[in-house]
Amino acid sequence: MRYAMAVDTKKCVGCSDCVVACQAENNVPHGYAREWVVELVEGSYPNLEMELRSERCNHCDNAPCVRCCPTGASHIVEGGIVLVEHNKCIGCGACITSCPYDARYSHPEGYVDKCTFCEHLVKEGEDPACVAVCPTKCLYFGDLDDPRSEVSKVIKNRKYKTLIPEAGTDPQIFFLT
Amino acid sequence: MREELIISGRMNPNIDPVLHIWHWQIPLYLFLGGLAAGVLFFAALYTILGRGKELKGAVQYAPFVAPVALVLGLFALFLDLKHQLYFWRLYTTIKLQSPMSWGAWTLLAITPLSFIWAALNIRIIFPNWDWRFRWLKDFEAFCRKHIIKISWVILVLSVILGIYTGILFSAFNARPLWNTSILGPLFLTSGLSTGAAVIILFSKSHKERLLFSRIDLVLIIVEIFFIVHMFMGFLASTQVQIDAASLFLGGPFTAQFWIFVVFLGLLLPAVLEALELAKFKIPAVIPATLVLFGGIMFRFIIANAGQVSRWLY
């Protein structure tokens, strides 16, 4: 099993519903974000192109945060989800520094926090909060090892990119372009 | 004009707009750790070579600095932790892929050894010192009997500690400025150089000061060589590393790096030490202090600039 997510940048309108849903579902403290929307404008005026991306932890296959963690608090569970065990985290900041996506932050309570792919929902067979709430249905979540899953199908049929694959992290969030 | 504008909805404290998760504690620890490694390295080396009686500054006086530096450094590391009550978790596992893990274990071994070394020399400060308990006396006799073996252990551990201060940074692929394997040897050399500077400050013999001025001069030349290589490597690498190097080649860290680290911390003390060796009268305290100043600036600048350097996407 390999959980992954696809983000349709053509369908995303940048409403940030996913961000709010994540904060509500996971009790993310005020002023912090486990996920965020990036608006990228490119070109020369008036020929501009905009890309909207709902971003979060890439749940990398080759996760530098897990490698550098001195206590084993950062770990990978079934389905490739990268998690932090709060009671093992000493808050040294190594994982925050090691993430090329800057997807982690230091929680006010001291431990390091990040997107969990809503593991508590996913193991009950539900979708992560961001996916469930998206009004344009631009987020797809599922098992990459299952060719019939939504995410497998959409990656098969569409062009996609991942973020900084050259960093060698093997990210598992796919942006449909 | 072709433009690219990135707007992110993320504004996590200490992460955005630029990463600044490591403040003064980490570079201060790296300085103190490197310095302690340098001092202990020379103390152990000259004990093994059997020159302890002749080089009292290196083998007896300067090593008193090591436990103090290590304890202060460890305290700085502790202050850096955000989940402090769980620090003991470092010592419930060994993670070979995490430099911080084996660094923590190295510190656990070398810190008590640095205290033992200082305790063995306590009679220099208190000539009538006597251990209160029998077992402490026995332990002292045991350590004195096996001093060469202990020195070998310290020698190896001090090299690991010195290299670790650099590898802590170089293991992070996400920060292109740090992601160069030369950082380990560079920090080790710098640590040995600051250790030699401490010995110069503590030595009472002119002959010994000259020996360590010579050693320090060689170390500084090696450091400059490594720094040149580091920039050559960056400039011949990918765009992110070219950008990282440009932080020092015209970017915001240019002035502080070249003035404080390279000129005041390396070139000037090297010239002064060379003049001293050429029999000019130079107070040894000046180059030694400059080396220490350069060492601490070097770590602060690399720590701060590294967190600014990043992949763009």
mmCIF file of all heavy atoms in Angstrom, chain A residues 37-54:
data_model
loop_
_atom_site.group_PDB
_atom_site.id
_atom_site.type_symbol
_atom_site.label_atom_id
_atom_site.label_comp_id
_atom_site.label_asym_id
_atom_site.label_seq_id
_atom_site.Cartn_x
_atom_site.Cartn_y
_atom_site.Cartn_z
ATOM 1 N N VAL A 37 -1.778 27.216 0.393
ATOM 2 C CA VAL A 37 -1.988 27.341 -1.042
ATOM 3 C C VAL A 37 -0.919 28.279 -1.619
ATOM 4 O O VAL A 37 -0.653 29.337 -1.061
ATOM 5 C CB VAL A 37 -3.398 27.878 -1.354
ATOM 6 C CG1 VAL A 37 -3.558 28.138 -2.847
ATOM 7 C CG2 VAL A 37 -4.445 26.879 -0.870
ATOM 8 N N VAL A 38 -0.287 27.834 -2.697
ATOM 9 C CA VAL A 38 0.720 28.647 -3.367
ATOM 10 C C VAL A 38 0.139 29.158 -4.681
ATOM 11 O O VAL A 38 -0.493 28.409 -5.428
ATOM 12 C CB VAL A 38 1.998 27.822 -3.645
ATOM 13 C CG1 VAL A 38 2.926 28.548 -4.605
ATOM 14 C CG2 VAL A 38 2.718 27.536 -2.337
ATOM 15 N N GLU A 39 0.333 30.443 -4.909
ATOM 16 C CA GLU A 39 -0.128 31.046 -6.155
ATOM 17 C C GLU A 39 1.116 31.463 -6.932
ATOM 18 O O GLU A 39 1.913 32.270 -6.457
ATOM 19 C CB GLU A 39 -0.985 32.269 -5.813
ATOM 20 C CG GLU A 39 -1.610 32.942 -6.993
ATOM 21 C CD GLU A 39 -2.387 34.189 -6.553
ATOM 22 O OE1 GLU A 39 -3.070 34.133 -5.501
ATOM 23 O OE2 GLU A 39 -2.273 35.214 -7.232
ATOM 24 N N LEU A 40 1.292 30.885 -8.101
ATOM 25 C CA LEU A 40 2.485 31.156 -8.887
ATOM 26 C C LEU A 40 2.081 31.849 -10.178
ATOM 27 O O LEU A 40 1.302 31.303 -10.957
ATOM 28 C CB LEU A 40 3.196 29.832 -9.181
ATOM 29 C CG LEU A 40 4.418 29.877 -10.074
ATOM 30 C CD1 LEU A 40 5.570 30.554 -9.372
ATOM 31 C CD2 LEU A 40 4.806 28.469 -10.475
ATOM 32 N N VAL A 41 2.576 33.058 -10.409
ATOM 33 C CA VAL A 41 2.278 33.787 -11.638
ATOM 34 C C VAL A 41 3.562 33.893 -12.446
ATOM 35 O O VAL A 41 4.592 34.309 -11.936
ATOM 36 C CB VAL A 41 1.717 35.192 -11.329
ATOM 37 C CG1 VAL A 41 1.405 35.932 -12.625
ATOM 38 C CG2 VAL A 41 0.467 35.091 -10.473
ATOM 39 N N GLU A 42 3.482 33.487 -13.710
ATOM 40 C CA GLU A 42 4.674 33.468 -14.556
ATOM 41 C C GLU A 42 4.384 34.107 -15.896
ATOM 42 O O GLU A 42 3.246 34.062 -16.374
ATOM 43 C CB GLU A 42 5.098 32.020 -14.820
ATOM 44 C CG GLU A 42 6.062 31.456 -13.837
ATOM 45 C CD GLU A 42 6.413 30.025 -14.204
ATOM 46 O OE1 GLU A 42 5.489 29.193 -14.314
ATOM 47 O OE2 GLU A 42 7.595 29.765 -14.389
ATOM 48 N N GLY A 43 5.408 34.626 -16.553
ATOM 49 C CA GLY A 43 5.253 35.140 -17.902
ATOM 50 C C GLY A 43 5.599 36.605 -17.982
ATOM 51 O O GLY A 43 6.164 37.179 -17.049
ATOM 52 N N SER A 44 5.303 37.225 -19.113
ATOM 53 C CA SER A 44 5.533 38.658 -19.228
ATOM 54 C C SER A 44 4.184 39.295 -19.567
ATOM 55 O O SER A 44 3.449 38.808 -20.421
ATOM 56 C CB SER A 44 6.579 38.965 -20.299
ATOM 57 O OG SER A 44 6.226 38.347 -21.511
ATOM 58 N N TYR A 45 3.889 40.371 -18.888
ATOM 59 C CA TYR A 45 2.594 41.024 -19.015
ATOM 60 C C TYR A 45 2.348 41.438 -20.462
ATOM 61 O O TYR A 45 3.246 41.964 -21.098
ATOM 62 C CB TYR A 45 2.570 42.259 -18.113
ATOM 63 C CG TYR A 45 1.239 42.976 -18.105
ATOM 64 C CD1 TYR A 45 0.206 42.545 -17.300
ATOM 65 C CD2 TYR A 45 1.029 44.073 -18.939
ATOM 66 C CE1 TYR A 45 -1.002 43.197 -17.315
ATOM 67 C CE2 TYR A 45 -0.183 44.727 -18.957
ATOM 68 C CZ TYR A 45 -1.197 44.288 -18.142
ATOM 69 O OH TYR A 45 -2.401 44.923 -18.160
ATOM 70 N N PRO A 46 1.204 41.263 -21.064
ATOM 71 C CA PRO A 46 -0.025 40.730 -20.462
ATOM 72 C C PRO A 46 -0.176 39.221 -20.588
ATOM 73 O O PRO A 46 -1.242 38.694 -20.301
ATOM 74 C CB PRO A 46 -1.106 41.450 -21.270
ATOM 75 C CG PRO A 46 -0.516 41.577 -22.637
ATOM 76 C CD PRO A 46 0.962 41.695 -22.451
ATOM 77 N N ASN A 47 0.862 38.531 -21.039
ATOM 78 C CA ASN A 47 0.733 37.079 -21.224
ATOM 79 C C ASN A 47 1.151 36.335 -19.969
ATOM 80 O O ASN A 47 2.245 35.780 -19.897
ATOM 81 C CB ASN A 47 1.577 36.636 -22.418
ATOM 82 C CG ASN A 47 1.153 37.333 -23.692
ATOM 83 O OD1 ASN A 47 -0.036 37.399 -23.998
ATOM 84 N ND2 ASN A 47 2.118 37.889 -24.418
ATOM 85 N N LEU A 48 0.300 36.361 -18.995
ATOM 86 C CA LEU A 48 0.636 35.751 -17.710
ATOM 87 C C LEU A 48 -0.110 34.437 -17.522
ATOM 88 O O LEU A 48 -1.211 34.260 -18.019
ATOM 89 C CB LEU A 48 0.270 36.708 -16.571
ATOM 90 C CG LEU A 48 1.011 38.048 -16.573
ATOM 91 C CD1 LEU A 48 0.390 38.994 -15.570
ATOM 92 C CD2 LEU A 48 2.481 37.851 -16.278
ATOM 93 N N GLU A 49 0.538 33.551 -16.822
ATOM 94 C CA GLU A 49 -0.117 32.293 -16.489
ATOM 95 C C GLU A 49 -0.066 32.087 -14.998
ATOM 96 O O GLU A 49 0.951 32.384 -14.367
ATOM 97 C CB GLU A 49 0.597 31.127 -17.169
ATOM 98 C CG GLU A 49 0.061 30.846 -18.548
ATOM 99 C CD GLU A 49 0.654 29.583 -19.131
ATOM 100 O OE1 GLU A 49 0.870 28.628 -18.365
ATOM 101 O OE2 GLU A 49 0.908 29.590 -20.345
ATOM 102 N N MET A 50 -1.143 31.607 -14.451
ATOM 103 C CA MET A 50 -1.181 31.393 -13.018
ATOM 104 C C MET A 50 -1.376 29.915 -12.710
ATOM 105 O O MET A 50 -2.127 29.231 -13.393
ATOM 106 C CB MET A 50 -2.311 32.199 -12.384
ATOM 107 C CG MET A 50 -2.334 32.077 -10.876
ATOM 108 S SD MET A 50 -3.433 33.247 -10.105
ATOM 109 C CE MET A 50 -5.008 32.510 -10.460
ATOM 110 N N GLU A 51 -0.631 29.467 -11.697
ATOM 111 C CA GLU A 51 -0.831 28.092 -11.228
ATOM 112 C C GLU A 51 -1.171 28.142 -9.741
ATOM 113 O O GLU A 51 -0.505 28.841 -8.977
ATOM 114 C CB GLU A 51 0.453 27.289 -11.433
ATOM 115 C CG GLU A 51 0.333 25.844 -11.019
ATOM 116 C CD GLU A 51 1.629 25.075 -11.255
ATOM 117 O OE1 GLU A 51 1.859 24.648 -12.399
ATOM 118 O OE2 GLU A 51 2.407 24.933 -10.307
ATOM 119 N N LEU A 52 -2.194 27.420 -9.358
ATOM 120 C CA LEU A 52 -2.559 27.341 -7.949
ATOM 121 C C LEU A 52 -2.272 25.944 -7.449
ATOM 122 O O LEU A 52 -2.629 24.954 -8.086
ATOM 123 C CB LEU A 52 -4.042 27.672 -7.774
ATOM 124 C CG LEU A 52 -4.407 29.143 -7.972
ATOM 125 C CD1 LEU A 52 -5.878 29.291 -8.280
ATOM 126 C CD2 LEU A 52 -4.034 29.952 -6.749
ATOM 127 N N ARG A 53 -1.588 25.899 -6.308
ATOM 128 C CA ARG A 53 -1.236 24.576 -5.778
ATOM 129 C C ARG A 53 -1.606 24.496 -4.306
ATOM 130 O O ARG A 53 -1.190 25.335 -3.506
ATOM 131 C CB ARG A 53 0.279 24.337 -5.894
ATOM 132 C CG ARG A 53 0.824 24.295 -7.298
ATOM 133 C CD ARG A 53 2.227 23.716 -7.287
ATOM 134 N NE ARG A 53 3.142 24.477 -6.454
ATOM 135 C CZ ARG A 53 4.186 25.157 -6.924
ATOM 136 N NH1 ARG A 53 4.457 25.166 -8.202
ATOM 137 N NH2 ARG A 53 4.974 25.808 -6.096
ATOM 138 N N SER A 54 -2.337 23.489 -3.968
ATOM 139 C CA SER A 54 -2.581 23.189 -2.561
ATOM 140 C C SER A 54 -1.425 22.293 -2.106
ATOM 141 O O SER A 54 -1.285 21.165 -2.586
ATOM 142 C CB SER A 54 -3.923 22.476 -2.434
ATOM 143 O OG SER A 54 -4.046 21.903 -1.163
#
